[in-house]
Amino acid sequence: MNSEPVLQVKNIHKAFGDRKILQGVSFDVYAGEMLGLIGPSGCGKSTILKIICGLLEPDSGEVIRRSDEIGLVFQGSALLNSLSVRNNLALALDSRNLSRVEEDKIIREKLALVELADFMYASPTKLSGGQQKRTSFARAIVNDPKIILYDEPTTGLDPVMSTVIEDYMIVLSKQLSAASIVVTHQHSTWTRTTNRVVLMFEGKIVWQGTPEEGIKSSDPFIKQFASGSREGPMLATKI
Amino acid sequence: MTYVNTTSQPKERRFTSPLKIAEDQMLIGLTLLGQVSYLMWRTFGYMIRLQIDWGESVRQGYMIGVKSLVVVGITALFTGLAMSLQISRELVSFGADTSIGGVVSLALVREIGPITAGVIVAGRVGSSIAAELTTMMITEQIDALKVMRVDPIRFLVVPRYTAALIVIPTLSTYAMFLGLLAGIFIAKSAANVPPDTFLDSVRQTILDRDFSVHYLKSIINATVIIFFSCAIGLNTRGGAEDVGIATTRAIVWTMISIFILNFVVTSLTYAPR
């Protein structure tokens, strides 16, 4: 792991109206590392991702990125249904002014990584949920990003497909040596794929460590989250 | 029998003054006008620099124009038939049956053609654009475009407006000609006016300026339909219910704007001086 982080999130604050979503969140992510951002629904995980990739502006704090190439895998795949699989990926290559032949070569290569090379000219509407998710993976990595963000990548998938997607995440992260952030509340996803975990609650980081430490920890926050218990500081009514 | 609601407390009834409702609606309207102005500014910027996706514009032209041909045609034909029947009846009673062609064509070129095409396209296409873009917002497709550094205005609005600028005036012309055919048919069958007499009257009455106003109104309609529906679609967030709300808002705002601007153009060009 390199000594200099690829991504630094420093003391981010964000509110929507009176509702404080993020209250001083800070963390670093290094090349080749997969950081799990976990926590109950509404704790600000997805907001952090949107701030990192520039879709939202923080009220205060800063995000330092040592690469402009960011790939984002959306929770619902977010493929453009009016375009073919090929053209969905080609959109991400638009700013590079490549020839059609060069574009096709890159697109075929990325689709092969997720075992979808045969679906290059298919419409996203004809793909299954798992295939759509894999297409959105291919789109996220088409520019060989050094930062990959996954927003709830396994939510809504069956356990077998979740495992397949988790395997892709592990392989892609290693192949690209990218700094990855996985926003999830799926137990298997953060325990299988991540090197380090940050637990958020009510817009703050309340615990961080490795997944192994998280499972064994006696910290009341991570203990409750890992076990899915109603007993603990994250009251069910607040969640 | 007494029913007791055990699931929810009765909602507190609050009186909202008409002044407050008017104030809220004014604010919503001003916000929308601001969003429309911004969208127009950015779209014209791309169009002046010819940064237009022509392939997508052709696809949108097909969606907006070709798919509206049948509904615009039927509407224009029956509007023309009904209007010609009314006009023929009145003019025949005054012994002015040779003027039927002129009066029918005046109404068609100046008002009915652009309004019919505008209103039908606003209902069919404006609502569909608002629903499509709202769905794209809700399903994070617009966010995906931004992350890929693709400007949603260039990708979604510019091709739709380019297509609308060509197909909506074409649809207006098509509506005008179908209305005219309906007029010829009614003049012959109801007032026994031969087609040649009808067309002579048209030629003597219609001026070049009438066609200029016709196309000006069509271009204004295209502008209103595309920018209002895109602005509403690109600024709506929420869930499935909001798609329906956005669709309704798009239809209401485009229809109202089309009729108001139609009157403004008519009053500026045809008002007695």
Side-chain angles (χ1 to χ4, degrees):
Chain A
M1 202 175 286
N2 293 335
S3 57
E4 197 172 52
V6 178
L7 176 71
Q8 287 180 285
V9 173
K10 290 185 172 178
N11 199 25
I12 296 285
H13 288 258
K14 179 75 185 172
F16 294 117
D18 295 337
R19 202 169 151 229
K20 290 178 181 171
I21 304 295
L22 298 171
Q23 303 180 63
V25 174
S26 303
F27 56 80
D28 298 339
V29 195
Y30 295 84
E33 185 184 27
M34 198 173 271
L35 176 81
L37 209 54
I38 61 172
S41 303
C43 70
K45 306 185 296 287
S46 295
T47 307
I48 278 275
L49 284 199
K50 287 185 175 172
I51 288 172
I52 291 170
C53 63
L55 290 172
L56 284 176
E57 284 291 320
D59 295 337
S60 64
E62 63 176 332
V63 174
I64 301 169
R65 302 186 307 218
R66 290 196 171 75
S67 171
D68 282 338
E69 287 301 339
I70 293 188
L72 174 57
V73 177
F74 288 87
Q75 185 177 350
S77 299
L79 299 171
L80 284 98
N81 292 333
S82 59
L83 304 179
S84 65
V85 165
R86 183 214 171 271
N87 288 345
N88 264 279
L89 271 70
L91 262 185
L93 295 168
D94 201 34
S95 57
R96 287 167 61 179
N97 292 321
L98 301 170
S99 68
R100 171 110 189 173
V101 176
E102 287 169 319
E103 274 187 358
D104 280 349
K105 184 172 175 282
I106 296 171
I107 291 167
R108 197 166 281 118
E109 190 182 292
K110 300 303 178 193
L111 285 174
L113 276 178
V114 292
E115 297 173 70
L116 282 174
D118 293 342
F119 293 85
M120 193 153 150
Y121 298 103
S123 162
T125 54
K126 305 283 179 206
L127 303 180
S128 68
Q131 288 171 329
Q132 287 185 8
K133 190 69 84 176
R134 280 149 60 197
T135 306
S136 75
F137 272 43
R139 187 176 66 180
I141 59 162
V142 78
N143 280 313
D144 295 327
K146 290 297 161 202
I147 301 168
I148 308 179
L149 311 173
Y150 300 91
D151 189 6
E152 311 272 12
T154 52
T155 299
L157 298 177
D158 63 70
V160 177
M161 188 48 69
S162 292
T163 306
V164 171
I165 293 295
E166 285 160 13
D167 289 345
Y168 280 121
M169 289 163 64
I170 294 164
V171 170
L172 294 178
S173 175
K174 277 185 186 159
Q175 280 196 357
L176 296 167
S177 293
S180 308
I181 300 180
V182 188
V183 161
T184 185
H185 46 232
Q186 300 284 104
H187 190 272
S188 73
T189 306
W190 65 266
T191 52
R192 279 196 70 220
T193 62
T194 63
N195 315 106
R196 192 158 56 93
V197 175
V198 164
L199 174 62
M200 289 179 63
F201 180 60
E202 293 185 340
K204 295 174 191 161
I205 293 175
V206 291
W207 183 87
Q208 51 185 313
T210 64
E212 295 76 23
E213 288 168 351
I215 292 164
K216 292 173 192 162
S217 175
S218 58
D219 176 272
F221 284 99
I222 189 68
K223 194 176 172 185
Q224 184 189 3
F225 191 79
S227 65
S229 166
R230 289 178 64 94
E231 304 299 320
M234 294 188 279
L235 297 174
T237 49
K238 283 195 173 181
I239 295 166
Chain B
M1 190 182 285
T2 308
Y3 291 99
V4 179
N5 185 353
T6 54
T7 54
S8 62
Q9 295 297 315
K11 283 182 183 169
E12 188 187 339
R13 280 176 186 272
R14 282 190 189 165
F15 173 75
T16 311
S17 75
L19 203 64
K20 174 78 179 129
I21 294 170
E23 190 187 318
D24 289 348
Q25 288 304 313
M26 185 81 87
L27 198 66
I28 290 169
L30 286 174
T31 308
L32 181 60
L33 285 178
Q35 290 162 347
V36 166
S37 308
Y38 173 74
L39 216 52
M40 287 174 76
W41 171 255
R42 296 286 313 280
T43 304
F44 291 148
Y46 281 119
M47 292 179 79
I48 287 165
R49 282 174 274 148
L50 286 178
Q51 292 180 328
I52 300 168
D53 181 343
W54 293 106
E56 179 62 13
S57 300
V58 169
R59 198 180 77 86
Q60 289 301 329
Y62 174 78
M63 304 293 285
I64 299 169
V66 179
K67 288 198 165 185
S68 299
L69 276 175
V70 173
V71 65
V72 169
I74 291 170
T75 314
L77 196 66
F78 281 94
T79 309
L81 287 170
M83 186 189 68
S84 304
L85 207 55
Q86 294 280 6
I87 290 171
S88 300
R89 194 185 150 194
E90 294 307 315
L91 290 182
V92 165
S93 70
F94 287 112
D97 42 354
T98 52
S99 303
I100 292 173
V103 177
V104 167
S105 60
L106 267 186
L108 282 168
V109 176
R110 291 181 182 180
E111 302 293 337
I112 307 292
I115 280 283
T116 306
V119 166
I120 296 297
V121 175
R124 205 190 75 78
V125 177
S127 59
S128 145
I129 290 174
E132 185 185 357
L133 299 196
T134 306
T135 306
M136 289 180 79
M137 283 294 290
I138 291 166
T139 55
E140 297 181 309
Q141 292 177 47
I142 306 288
D143 283 347
L145 287 173
K146 289 177 185 167
V147 171
M148 290 187 285
R149 293 186 219 138
V150 176
D151 184 352
I153 294 173
R154 186 182 171 191
F155 183 74
L156 298 167
V157 185
V158 174
R160 282 169 173 77
Y161 187 54
T162 307
L165 278 181
I166 295 163
V167 298
I168 292 182
T170 309
L171 283 173
S172 297
T173 312
Y174 164 71
M176 181 181 74
F177 275 108
L178 280 180
L180 213 56
L181 282 177
I184 291 171
F185 172 74
I186 291 291
K188 175 73 183 140
S189 57
N192 205 22
V193 174
D196 284 347
T197 311
F198 184 96
L199 290 172
D200 276 345
S201 172
V202 172
R203 276 191 284 270
Q204 284 165 17
T205 315
I206 296 293
L207 305 171
D208 287 348
R209 189 184 71 156
D210 295 321
F211 286 104
S212 303
V213 172
H214 173 93
Y215 289 114
L216 175 66
K217 285 182 175 181
S218 303
I219 286 168
I220 290 173
N221 289 347
T223 307
V224 164
I225 293 166
I226 298 301
F227 286 114
F228 272 87
S229 48
C230 286
I232 289 168
L234 290 173
N235 290 285
T236 304
R237 281 164 184 78
E241 192 189 5
D242 297 280
V243 178
I245 293 169
T247 308
T248 310
R249 278 189 74 204
I251 294 175
V252 169
W253 278 97
T254 48
M255 295 269 189
I256 290 173
S257 306
I258 283 172
F259 281 106
I260 292 173
L261 290 170
N262 180 66
F263 169 72
V264 171
V265 174
T266 301
S267 64
L268 289 175
T269 48
Y270 293 113
R273 293 174 198 277

